[in-house]
Every structure is written in structure tokens, then in C-alpha cells.
Amino acid sequence: MSTNRRRALGTAALATATALAATALTGCGGGNDGGSGAAGSKTVTLVGHDSFLVSDAVLKKFTEETGYTVTVLRGGDAGAAVNQAILSKGNPQGDVFFGVDNTLLSRALDHDIFVPHGAKGLDRVPKELQLDAGRQRVTPVDYGDICVNYDRRYFADKKLDPPRTLDDLIKPEYKNLLVTENAATSSPGLGFLLGTAARYGDADSPEGAASGGWQQYWKKLKENGVEVVDGWEQAYTERFSGSAGGKAKGDRPLVVSYASSPTAEVTNAKDKPAQAPTGVATGTCFRQIEFAGLLKGAKNPEGGKALLDFLLSTTFQEDVPLQMYVNPARQDAKLPEAFTTYGEKIADPATMAPETIAKNRERWVKTWTSLVRK
């Protein structure tokens, strides 16, 4: 992939806090009129994970329209950034937080770190993305799908059909082919675990008891030779044979990544192929939604509200796909040709309510670790 990798692309260890580095993005205008903490400041500060990217030209437009200059504080992966926002509740390091997703949303909402704001443009966002519609403490900004990717060349050479569903992955013909990330230390790893829980249920619940739930599925996946590594970077760029157009030295032709990964492979290749070198097993996907919110105690709340509105503007939304390799939340935002030509549109991804994730996440990760990491 590229330097715009998605989730390490925000896939550093969820438990590892990374020191925040302040970065004033270029092309954002002049002085800050006394700094982000001064009364009447014209600087608005966005706190987010390392994968937040936006074109300089887009931020220039925000400055031209509002007079505010944007400063970005990047705080490691999504989990570390959310934890830091919780620890600094009431005295935040910025005005707006970007990058809390549906796997971590309930944690942030339970700690009451956001001020409600009905952002302009919400009427153009599908209801299924508005997970806090009743209170509007967070604004949906983008979404993507965590899915198994496959190396097209490998399966063509072996004259083997690639897997399409989670059920396929435990079949003997795919033994020792899959690499995934640690659910305790990686966003896509956790998303993949949640996707299996959504599909097979929980062994401790009435719905999943008869089949053994996701726990039984992962036992079978382990028996079928799944490899687990700490994060996306290692899984995709080191162990996956399809990374960088097949130039990677990995020997695993299946990897847990994103539905947008094939698009990234093509847009970062010198010569554009007719077809992406990697494909997506569309029956393995889990929907991930990212949100932004106005932080309680923000020193520039009016600037924060203006920035939240801008994050839902068509200008920002149409910049999102090739900056962060995710889909814009606005349904009327136009997708770039690379997304429509090479990307996979996931019609029916697995989903899970934030409160269900909150109730079970720690227990599930602990159980998963005992089952798979022994």
C-alpha cells in the first residue's frame, strides 16, 4: 500500500498510548491570533488518530470560508487516542475529536466527553450510520469494511476459487492460508472478531449455545492454521503474498484488511492494471463507522462546531476516499473513479450495536486470547 495506509491505517496496539504530536497542517492560513487557548482564537484544534489525512487545498477552503486555521494533534491509533481523550475529560487537548469508531463508541459516550451538536449535512447521512441520532453527541464522518483480502495470482496459479464467506475459511482447501491481526492489539483484528460474533453468536447466549458460537468457529479456524500477528502492518505488508502488487515476500494469500485495500494497491502502483491484484471476500466483512465530536471543555467551541459542519461538507467528504481509503458518510458525495472501478461495494456487511460491543468486548477479547493465542 502507500503512506496513506488505512488504520496503520490506525493499527498500532490498542493498549499502547502514543504521545500526542502537534502538527499544524500546511496551507491553513496565517497566525493563530493568540493560540488555541486564547479567547476569540482563530485556531481550531482537531485531535485524532494517526490516519487522519486531508488535502491542504481542502483545509485552505475551510480557512477561507470560516477564518479558522486547523491544527491537528495525532495521538497514535484509535484506541490510544480515545483513551487519551477520556483521561483529559473536561480539559481536552483540542476542540474536536475525530476517529472514534463503532467498536469504541460506547466507551467514549459512557465517559461523557462530547457536547451535542447537530452538524449541517446530517440529513444527507443514512440513518444506519447515525448511531447516536437521538442525542447527536457524535457526527458520522466516514465508514469502511474490514474484510478478508485475497491474492488473485495465488488462487489463479493454484486453480482454486478464493473464499467468499466466513464458512469457507475453515474448509481444508484454505488450510494455512489466512493471516489475521490480534484482536487485543489491532482495530481490524477486533473488527474481524466482532464480525464472527455477529455471524455465529456467542456460546454463552441462547442463540449461539447450540452451535458453540464464535468460540467454536475460532477453534476451527485455529485448527485450519490461521496465523495471528500483532497488527495490520505486519499482516498486510510482511505476511500477505498479495501486498504491493504481489512483490511482497509473504506466503499467506489471505489477510484480514479492508474492502478498500484493492483500490489502494492500484492507486499507488506506477502502472495501473485493468484489475486490482487483490480481491475481497465479500461475505467476511464487518462495517466500521468513524465519528467526530465536540469535546467538553473545548477552548474554541464555535470553531469546533464550524469544523464539524465542514467535516460533513461535500468538499471534505469527497476528499476522504483517496486520503483515508474509506467511504464518505454523505450519500450524495461523489466517489473517485478509482473507488468505483477497483473497489468493492459491500452490500450486506455484518454490524453490531455499540451497546452490544460495550457489554461484551472485554470478555470476548479475553476469551479469544485464551482460545487462539495459547
Side-chain angles (χ1 to χ4, degrees):
M1 279 191 181
S2 72
T3 55
N4 289 352
R5 293 183 182 114
R6 183 65 191 156
R7 292 278 185 279
L9 273 180
T11 54
L14 287 176
T16 302
T18 303
L20 285 167
T23 306
L25 295 187
T26 59
C28 297
N32 62 13
D33 293 338
S36 60
S41 171
K42 297 307 291 183
T43 294
V44 57
T45 301
L46 180 146
V47 181
H49 54 59
D50 285 347
S51 296
F52 177 80
L53 292 170
V54 58
S55 299
D56 290 345
V58 168
L59 284 184
K60 282 182 180 179
K61 185 168 183 180
F62 172 71
T63 301
E64 291 168 358
E65 291 179 354
T66 67
Y68 293 111
T69 297
V70 179
T71 295
V72 175
L73 299 180
R74 292 187 174 90
D77 79 299
V82 170
N83 287 340
Q84 183 59 44
I86 291 171
L87 289 172
S88 59
K89 175 184 174 181
N91 186 29
Q93 294 167 304
D95 305 302
V96 168
F97 185 89
F98 168 86
V100 59
D101 64 37
N102 50 311
T103 70
L104 300 169
L105 180 61
S106 59
R107 180 186 298 172
L109 295 182
D110 287 348
H111 281 86
D112 195 27
I113 64 173
F114 295 119
V115 175
H117 173 64
K120 296 177 182 177
L122 268 176
D123 58 325
R124 303 302 178 91
V125 176
K127 296 298 183 184
E128 59 266 25
L129 300 183
Q130 298 188 43
L131 301 187
D132 192 46
R135 299 182 65 179
Q136 297 182 334
R137 290 167 292 180
V138 289
T139 300
V141 176
D142 64 67
Y143 70 92
D145 296 296
I146 296 168
C147 311
V148 170
N149 285 200
Y150 59 86
D151 178 356
R152 292 185 188 275
R153 180 179 298 176
Y154 174 91
F155 288 97
D157 290 347
K158 297 292 184 180
K159 295 181 172 55
L160 175 66
D161 289 334
R164 298 295 179 188
T165 67
L166 291 173
D167 286 345
D168 287 342
L169 296 175
I170 58 176
K171 294 179 178 178
E173 55 263 44
Y174 304 113
K175 187 176 180 66
N176 298 326
L177 300 187
L178 175 67
V179 57
T180 188
E181 301 84 1
N182 190 333
T185 60
S186 162
S187 281
L190 176 59
F192 187 53
L193 167 59
L194 294 175
T196 62
R199 168 67 176 82
Y200 299 105
D202 183 359
D204 294 332
S205 69
E207 307 83 51
S211 65
W214 66 265
Q215 294 90 333
Q216 184 63 29
Y217 175 79
W218 274 93
K219 288 179 183 178
K220 294 178 180 178
L221 204 58
K222 183 178 181 181
E223 291 169 0
N224 214 35
V226 64
E227 179 182 5
V228 178
V229 297
D230 284 339
W232 179 91
E233 185 80 23
Q234 184 181 2
Y236 195 93
T237 66
E238 297 179 20
R239 301 299 299 126
F240 179 45
S241 62
S243 177
K247 296 179 182 178
K249 297 180 180 179
D251 60 6
R252 295 264 167 165
L254 298 173
V255 64
V256 172
S257 190
Y258 293 86
S260 57
S261 295
T263 301
E265 286 283 350
V266 172
T267 56
N268 293 290
K270 290 183 178 179
D271 300 314
K272 300 295 186 286
Q275 184 183 52
T278 58
V280 176
T282 56
T284 64
C285 302
F286 179 79
R287 176 61 48 86
Q288 197 171 42
I289 308 166
E290 282 192 309
F291 302 85
L294 179 65
L295 288 163
K296 277 194 171 181
K299 294 180 175 62
N300 189 353
E302 293 308 311
K305 292 175 183 178
L307 182 55
L308 283 173
D309 292 346
F310 187 74
L311 293 180
L312 270 190
S313 69
T314 54
T315 299
F316 182 87
Q317 290 281 295
E318 292 179 358
D319 190 53
V320 159
L322 294 185
Q323 290 295 319
M324 296 190 283
Y325 289 99
V326 285
N327 296 282
R330 279 184 73 121
Q331 56 192 358
D332 60 343
K334 295 179 181 178
L335 289 172
E337 184 179 356
F339 255 63
T340 56
T341 301
Y342 300 107
E344 287 280 359
K345 186 175 177 61
I346 308 303
D348 189 27
T351 60
M352 187 174 289
E355 54 269 24
T356 302
I357 296 173
K359 179 181 177 180
N360 297 288
R361 181 177 51 235
E362 290 186 13
R363 177 174 62 87
W364 285 350
V365 169
K366 185 176 181 179
T367 301
W368 178 91
T369 301
S370 67
L371 287 174
V372 182
R373 299 291 282 172
K374 285 183 179 179

